Amino acid sequence: MDFALNEQERQFRDSIRRYARQRLLPEYAQWDRGTPYPRERVRELGALGISGLSVPAAYGGSESSFVMAGVASEELGRGDLNTTLFLQLAMVGGVIAGHGTEEVKRAWLPGLASGDHIIAAAITEPGVGSDAAALVTSARRDGDHYVIRGEKASISCAGMADACVLFARTGEAGAHGVSAIMVPLDLPGVTRTVYRSVGERISQRGSLTFDDVRVPVDHLLGREGGGFYQVMNAFDFNRALIALGCLGAAEQSLEETIEYAKQRHTFGRPIAKHEAVSFQIAEYLTMVEAGRLLAYQCLARRDQGESHTKEAAMAKWLGPKVAVEAIHACIILHGFLGYDQSLPFEQRMRDVMGLEIGDGTPHIMKGIIARETFGREFMPYR
Ligand SMILES: Cc1cc2nc3c(=O)[nH]c(=O)nc-3n(C[C@H](O)[C@H](O)[C@H](O)COP(=O)(O)OP(=O)(O)OC[C@H]3O[C@@H](n4cnc5c(N)ncnc54)[C@H](O)[C@@H]3O)c2cc1C
């Protein structure tokens, strides 16, 4: 499968690589120490054309290829993995464009493309994560409104999002009874709590509570009961973006470690001359490259309208796993310095670990790969 970048895509990649190196990398540690990430920084992603990648031109975006979004994720990941989150959330623009009413599109898409709006994805609940089709947050119809009641847990950007795409039960038990609804988060009855996370602190991950929140019926995305089959499944490709962000962080770590290994001496020679060191780097370079190619293959299939669910799950399992292992190796290869917070490795490892869980754990990814391979009749559950 061919996913070589054309001239325009190469220029786009180079501009984001420069931004990541000059703007993100030097301040990566700062946001880990509790300084709130300025909204101005999110708008910079809009100015770079990153936030509008899935938004149609009529609403201020560029509606570019999914491979382009992959390029953006990988390059941002080199500077600050956490900023890839704003890219992932902005990709909801495609869902809104495809399934929203004209009013919802006009209200949210231009701001999404410019980086003015942050729209969270609210699926997980305190009692329901992997088995998302069992969610219990309800959206009860009352005239021309839905009345929403329930709690969403572990939502990225819960502390700062302007709206969320909320998955709530509007009907029967199981996936067919779940709908996706656009919910502005300044409505009466919404409360937010921000968690103390191990990493990814700029994301203000937390919970959103809905206490009889009234949302107009025209905020429904897709058809009632289509939350999973129309909306969530169309977001599979996001797993490849996550993988590429994590692998970008690993690539950067390996490059820094290669430079270190050339100049750090032990036993009278640079540590790069110890094959245990250079071979370990060779192994991780190979695994990172394999993860990249898998993720880009997923995105290229998406661009070409081909099935990509299996590739997305493979990329999401492999990418963060390889990235954590590679960054861990970089820590050891830096000796005591690697274990110091003046170098970015431990922060990167904590940040990548979150993405081993977010958007589906390794177990769930392997379950999807097995389902797509053997067929649903060989699943242990429905
Ligand atoms: C950094 C981060 C960001 C996140 N962002 C968001 C967000 O923006 N929006 C959102 O809605 N959610 C978000 N989440 C939540 C995330 O999607 C869930 O945590 C994840 O889906 C797992 O659900 P759970 O935590 O309830 O674990 P559970 O589903 O309770 O699973 C617990 C453990 O059991 C394993 N397990 C469960 N079922 C099976 C099975 N069938 N076979 C084998 N093993 C199984 C799991 O793999 C896991 O190890 C985020 C989480 C993190 C860590």
Side-chain angles (χ1 to χ4, degrees):
M1 181 159 291
D2 180 19
F3 38 82
L5 303 185
N6 61 32
E7 184 49 32
Q8 187 203 359
E9 290 167 339
R10 273 201 297 276
Q11 281 177 15
F12 179 70
R13 178 198 60 196
D14 293 346
S15 71
I16 302 172
R17 187 170 291 184
R18 263 194 311 278
Y19 177 78
R21 190 180 301 131
Q22 292 167 7
R23 185 83 167 134
L24 299 180
L25 197 53
E27 294 184 357
Y28 177 51
Q30 178 177 329
W31 318 116
D32 192 49
R33 300 192 188 111
T35 313
Y37 200 64
R39 285 297 280 257
E40 206 39 52
R41 289 298 193 93
V42 184
R43 288 189 196 100
E44 287 176 7
L45 302 184
L48 281 163
I50 292 170
S51 314
L53 284 170
S54 75
V55 174
Y59 299 95
S62 60
E63 205 172 10
S64 301
S65 69
F66 289 91
V67 166
M68 283 274 268
V71 168
S73 193
E74 185 180 3
E75 296 304 329
L76 289 176
R78 284 169 166 269
D80 182 342
L81 170 62
N82 301 315
T83 60
T84 66
L85 178 65
F86 300 115
L87 161 68
Q88 290 165 38
L89 294 180
M91 293 303 283
V92 82
V95 170
I96 297 171
H99 300 290
T101 59
E102 190 51 39
E103 187 183 300
V104 166
K105 287 189 223 177
R106 267 196 258 116
W108 293 101
L109 289 180
L112 199 63
S114 64
D116 286 304
H117 288 153
I118 296 175
I119 301 177
I123 305 155
T124 307
E125 300 180 352
V128 177
S130 304
D131 186 10
L135 60 82
V136 296
T137 293
S138 61
R140 176 176 55 81
R141 186 81 185 251
D142 180 23
D144 55 3
H145 281 77
Y146 286 112
V147 181
I148 297 165
R149 195 166 184 78
E151 181 183 344
K152 292 292 175 182
S154 186
I155 307 304
S156 297
C157 293
M160 65 172 112
D162 304 289
C164 71
V165 174
L166 176 93
F167 289 79
R169 188 155 303 285
T170 48
E172 63 193 77
H176 287 284
V178 173
S179 301
I181 304 170
M182 187 75 191
V183 182
L185 292 175
D186 58 355
L187 292 175
V190 176
T191 49
R192 313 168 189 240
T193 313
V194 174
Y195 302 160
R196 271 176 55 84
S197 294
V198 169
E200 298 190 359
R201 299 214 168 109
I202 69 174
S203 82
Q204 295 189 18
R205 197 167 55 91
S207 62
L208 295 169
T209 306
F210 302 88
D211 188 5
D212 288 341
V213 175
R214 295 180 71 82
V215 183
V217 168
D218 69 3
H219 280 43
L220 182 70
L221 297 175
R223 61 177 162 72
E224 207 173 87
F228 272 88
Y229 298 102
Q230 277 183 308
V231 179
M232 200 189 293
N233 290 350
F235 220 60
D236 273 359
F237 68 86
N238 190 49
R239 294 183 169 146
L241 299 187
I242 291 176
L244 284 164
C246 294
L247 292 167
E251 285 164 51
Q252 181 67 30
S253 300
L254 286 167
E255 284 170 20
E256 291 166 6
T257 304
I258 289 166
E259 287 313 307
Y260 182 72
K262 286 186 208 164
Q263 48 94 5
R264 176 74 175 181
H265 285 64
T266 67
F267 303 96
R269 68 196 63 189
I271 60 170
K273 283 201 174 183
H274 300 303
E275 286 184 337
V277 171
S278 60
F279 282 17
Q280 193 176 20
I281 289 174
E283 285 170 16
Y284 282 115
L285 287 174
T286 308
M287 287 190 257
V288 165
E289 187 63 14
R292 285 183 73 240
L293 294 175
L294 183 54
Y296 279 117
Q297 187 191 28
C298 167
L299 296 170
R301 289 181 70 89
R302 166 82 195 209
D303 280 326
Q304 290 162 21
E306 293 179 31
S307 66
H308 54 279
T309 299
K310 186 170 167 178
E311 290 77 6
M314 287 174 163
K316 170 65 174 63
W317 168 54
L318 190 68
K321 171 183 153 63
V322 164
V324 164
E325 290 171 4
I327 296 168
H328 181 250
C330 292
I331 292 177
I332 308 292
L333 290 172
H334 275 80
F336 73 86
L337 285 174
Y339 197 57
D340 196 278
Q341 292 196 322
S342 61
L343 291 182
F345 302 112
E346 65 80 33
Q347 185 188 348
R348 285 195 190 126
M349 201 166 82
R350 284 187 282 114
D351 289 345
V352 172
M353 273 173 60
L355 294 173
E356 290 193 284
I357 301 169
D359 210 355
T361 63
H363 309 111
I364 297 306
M365 294 306 106
K366 289 179 206 172
I368 293 170
I369 298 164
R371 183 193 70 203
E372 296 295 305
T373 303
F374 290 98
R376 279 185 188 276
E377 65 273 30
F378 287 96
M379 286 188 72
Y381 47 81
R382 291 278 154 186

